C-alpha cells in the first residue's frame, strides 16, 4: 500500500542514482513510526532542505527534539546531510528519498513491536490527510475559482471482491503516475496538488 509520496519512474526515463521511493521493512518502519519523525520527513520532502531549528519553528517543536529525531531518521536512511548548504556548525538536512511504500506483509508480522509501529504509522498518515483536507477547506477562497472548481472531494461505494479492489487501486496509481511524469509541473500557474486515496471494506449498517 503506497504512502501518498510514492513515486515511480517510467521505463524510458534515465535511472536516478538513488531510488525515488523506499519500501518499508520491519526495521525501517520501526525507525519511522513516530509522529514527529513522520512530520519531519514530510516537511523536508515538501519544503526542501532545512536545519533542525528551522524545522522546530515550522512544526512548533523544540530544536532539541527535532535534532534528536532527525538523527534517528538519518540512522535509518530516511534523511541525510545536505553538503551544498550550511556554514560552520550549521547542519542542514534533506530527504534521502521522495517516497515510501508500505509493504502489505507488515500487517502479518508476528513481532508485536512491528504491529505497534504499523498502527502508529497508519494512524499518523490518516491524521495528516485529515489536516491537509481541513487546511484546504479553510483556505480555498484564497485560491480562486479555477482551483476551487477543479478540486474534488468525492466518495463512492462499490461491491467488489478483494482482488478487484487491488486491480482498481493499481489502475488509479498508474493513472496518477502518468500525470506525475508529465511536463505539467513547469506549466504557468502550476501548483503542488495533493491526492488522497482511501479504499477499504465497510460493514453494512
Amino acid at each position: 500500500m503506497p504512502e501518498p509520496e510514492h513515486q515511480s519512474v517510467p521505463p524510458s526515463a534515465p535511472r536516478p542514482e538513488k531510488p525515488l521511493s523506499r519500501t518499508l521493512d520491519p526495521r525501517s518502519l520501526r525507525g519511522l513510526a513516530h509522529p514527529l519523525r513522520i512530520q519531519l520527513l514530510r516537511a523536508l520532502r515538501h519544503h526542501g532542505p532545512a536545519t533542525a531549528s528551522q524545522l522546530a519553528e515550522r512544526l512548533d517543536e523544540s530544536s532539541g527534539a527535532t535534532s534528536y529525531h532527525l538523527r534517528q531518521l538519518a540512522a535509518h536512511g530516511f534523511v541525510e546531510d545536505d553538503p551544498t548548504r550550511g556554514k560552520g556548525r550549521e547542519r542542514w538536512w534533506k530527504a534521502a528519498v521522495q517516497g515510501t511504500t508500505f509493504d502489505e506483509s507488515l500487517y502479518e508480522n508476528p513481532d508485536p513491536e512491528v504491529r505497534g509501529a504499523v498502527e502508529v504509522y497508519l494512524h499518523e498518515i490518516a491524521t495528516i490527510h485529515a489536516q491537509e483536507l481541513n487546511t484546504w477547506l479553510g483556505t480555498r477562497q484564497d485560491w480562486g475559482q479555477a482551483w476551487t472548481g477543479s478540486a474534488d472531494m468525492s466518495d463512492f461505494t462499490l461491491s467488489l471482491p478483494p482482488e478487484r479492489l487491488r486491480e482498481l487501486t493499481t489502475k488509479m496509481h498508474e493513472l496518477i503516475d502518468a500525470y506525475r511524469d508529465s511536463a505539467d509541473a513547469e506549466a504557468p500557474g502550476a501548483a503542488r496538488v495533493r491526492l488522497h486515496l482511501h479504499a477499504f471494506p465497510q460493514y453494512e449498517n
Side-chain angles (χ1 to χ4, degrees), residues 4 13 19 24 39 47 97 160:
L24 296 175
Q39 292 282 355
H47 304 290
V97 292
L160 299 171

Side-chain angles (χ1 to χ4, degrees), residues 104-123:
E104 64 189 66
S105 67
L106 293 169
Y107 289 122
E108 306 300 327
N109 193 287
D111 187 340
E113 186 177 351
V114 174
R115 293 201 300 272
V118 167
E119 294 304 310
V120 171
Y121 177 84
L122 294 179
H123 280 89

Side-chain angles (χ1 to χ4, degrees), residues 25-191:
D25 57 24
R27 180 180 180 278
S28 60
L29 174 64
R30 289 195 299 269
L32 179 60
H34 183 285
L36 182 53
R37 294 179 196 175
I38 294 172
Q39 292 282 355
L40 287 167
L41 182 56
R42 174 175 173 268
L44 290 173
R45 286 174 173 170
H46 284 198
H47 304 290
T51 66
S53 296
Q54 290 170 339
L55 290 165
E57 184 176 358
R58 177 179 291 277
L59 300 177
D60 195 24
E61 294 282 347
S62 71
S63 58
T66 57
S67 180
Y68 169 78
H69 287 291
L70 283 165
R71 292 195 301 271
Q72 294 302 307
L73 286 169
H76 289 86
F78 291 104
V79 304
E80 60 191 11
D81 286 308
D82 185 349
T84 67
R85 299 171 184 262
K87 298 178 182 179
R89 298 176 61 185
E90 189 176 45
R91 190 175 189 180
W92 284 73
W93 297 93
K94 64 179 181 179
V97 292
Q98 287 302 310
T100 48
T101 302
F102 192 92
D103 191 318
E104 64 189 66
S105 67
L106 293 169
Y107 289 122
E108 306 300 327
N109 193 287
D111 187 340
E113 186 177 351
V114 174
R115 293 201 300 272
V118 167
E119 294 304 310
V120 171
Y121 177 84
L122 294 179
H123 280 89
E124 184 61 22
I125 296 302
T127 298
I128 289 172
H129 287 186
Q131 290 172 341
E132 290 182 339
L133 181 57
N134 284 327
T135 297
W136 156 247
L137 294 176
T139 62
R140 68 188 186 280
Q141 299 303 326
D142 301 336
W143 285 89
Q145 185 176 356
W147 283 108
T148 56
S150 300
D152 182 60
M153 195 171 67
S154 300
D155 60 86
F156 307 89
T157 301
L158 305 174
S159 294
L160 299 171
E163 61 272 14
R164 288 283 284 168
L165 178 58
R166 183 185 296 273
E167 176 186 308
L168 176 59
T169 55
T170 297
K171 288 182 176 179
M172 287 191 286
H173 280 279
E174 290 172 350
L175 177 60
I176 292 167
D177 278 343
Y179 280 82
R180 188 198 308 278
D181 299 326
S182 73
D184 290 334
E186 306 302 325

